[in-house]
């Protein structure tokens, strides 16, 4: 039976959340990012072990020392020579390994290798950016390993929240947004308008563009739009 990378996501998500991690999918190019008490781990998902997977994991090591690769558990068991060679390579590169019993109804996750923390890390800025992206998201709507859907970033989520406000109000000023409790990140999105969702009516006042109205009907954004429409209505137009 053939499996996709997304089939690995749910078992690993459940496994990590049972261990107390906060889990997000598709964060800054990482299939899975998880955080617990300030400790960040990154996991790359693949249907089978390959050098491409190794290269991806090595790139993720610029973000955090705790990088895992995750694959379905081997059909031939763990005595195969290719399996032993894979373990040897991952150990040398200080990359962890998870396997998922995707062929079992229980879909158990095993930690085969733990990544080493002995390397000297020089790119902490990338880790800070990854954590900031995770913490900037209120919702978890992505699925690890997905390729055809739009990734819901913290930035895009904020843009959708703004679009929902403008949908309800017609026109909103920057002053009114601040009164609603929206921080400067939201006003920057309005002013930069990267998705062309907003129209500047006059100084400091914006409304939703036709492109923005269409975005609120985009199937890829459906759950996020529903959430923010609901939050806005609960807040009585005061704050999201």
């Amino acid at each position: 039976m053939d499996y996709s990378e997304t089939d690995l996501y749910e078992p690993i998500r459940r496994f990590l959340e049972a261990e107390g991690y906060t889990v997000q999918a598709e964060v800054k190019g990482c299939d899975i990012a998880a955080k617990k008490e300030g400790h960040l781990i990154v996991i790359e998902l693949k249907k089978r072990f390959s050098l491409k997977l190794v290269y991806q994991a090595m790139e993720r090591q610029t973000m955090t020392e705790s990088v895992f690769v995750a694959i379905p558990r081997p059909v031939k068991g763990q005595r195969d020579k290719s399996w032993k060679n894979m373990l040897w390579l991952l150990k040398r590169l200080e990359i962890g390994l998870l396997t998922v019993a995707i062929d079992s109804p229980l879909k158990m996750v095993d930690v085969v290798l733990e990544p080493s923390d002995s390397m000297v890390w020089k790119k902490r800025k990338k880790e800070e950016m990854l954590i900031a992206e995770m913490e900037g998201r209120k919702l978890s709507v992505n699925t690890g390993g997905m390729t055809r859907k739009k990734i819901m970033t913290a930035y895009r989520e904020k843009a959708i929240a703004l679009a929902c406000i403008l949908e309800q109000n017609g026109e909103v000023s920057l002053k009114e947004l601040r009164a609603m409790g929206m921080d400067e990140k939201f006003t920057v999105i309005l002013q930069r308008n990267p998705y062309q969702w907003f129209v500047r009516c006059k100084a400091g006042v914006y409304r939703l563009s036709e492109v923005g109205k269409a975005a609120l009907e985009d199937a890829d954004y459906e759950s996020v739009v529903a959430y923010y429409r609901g939050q806005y209505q609960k807040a009585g137009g005061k704050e999201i």
Side-chain angles (χ1 to χ4, degrees), residues 219-234:
D220 285 348
Y221 304 151
E222 183 177 3
S223 60
V224 180
V225 170
Y227 171 81
Y228 280 108
R229 280 172 172 165
Q231 287 297 104
Y232 183 74
Q233 290 169 358
K234 288 178 184 177

Side-chain angles (χ1 to χ4, degrees), residues 78-94:
Q78 299 183 8
R79 295 183 180 181
D80 184 71
K81 184 177 180 181
S82 62
W83 172 264
K84 293 178 180 179
N85 289 339
M86 176 188 67
L87 293 184
W88 176 84
L89 178 60
L90 293 176
K91 285 179 182 178
R92 289 294 299 269
L93 296 174
E94 300 178 314

Side-chain angles (χ1 to χ4, degrees), residues 17 54 153:
E17 289 183 346
V54 173
T153 62

Side-chain angles (χ1 to χ4, degrees), residues 158-198:
K158 286 181 172 62
I160 290 174
L162 282 170
C164 290
I165 291 175
L166 269 61
E167 179 187 46
Q168 293 288 332
N169 286 271
E171 295 182 359
V172 174
S173 69
L174 298 180
K175 183 178 180 180
E176 288 171 329
L177 282 176
R178 294 186 184 102
M180 292 179 190
M182 315 298 276
D183 62 34
E184 289 303 312
K185 292 179 182 177
F186 289 90
T187 60
V188 168
I189 292 173
L190 268 181
Q191 292 166 334
R192 290 182 179 174
N193 197 16
Y195 308 125
Q196 303 301 306
W197 290 358
F198 314 112

Side-chain angles (χ1 to χ4, degrees), residues 57-70:
M58 291 173 67
E59 172 62 25
R60 303 302 177 251
Q61 284 180 321
T62 65
M63 300 177 175
T64 179
E65 64 268 29
S66 298
V67 176
F68 290 82
V69 296

Side-chain angles (χ1 to χ4, degrees), residues 199-215:
V199 175
R200 183 174 177 269
C201 307
K202 54 187 176 182
V205 179
Y206 295 82
R207 62 177 173 81
L208 202 58
S209 71
E210 292 303 315
V211 177
K213 292 175 183 177

Side-chain angles (χ1 to χ4, degrees), residues 10 26 40 44 48-49 54 84 112 155 201:
E10 277 301 317
E26 298 297 340
L40 174 70
E44 288 300 314
R48 59 185 63 85
F49 184 75
V54 173
K84 293 178 180 179
V112 180
Y155 192 91
C201 307

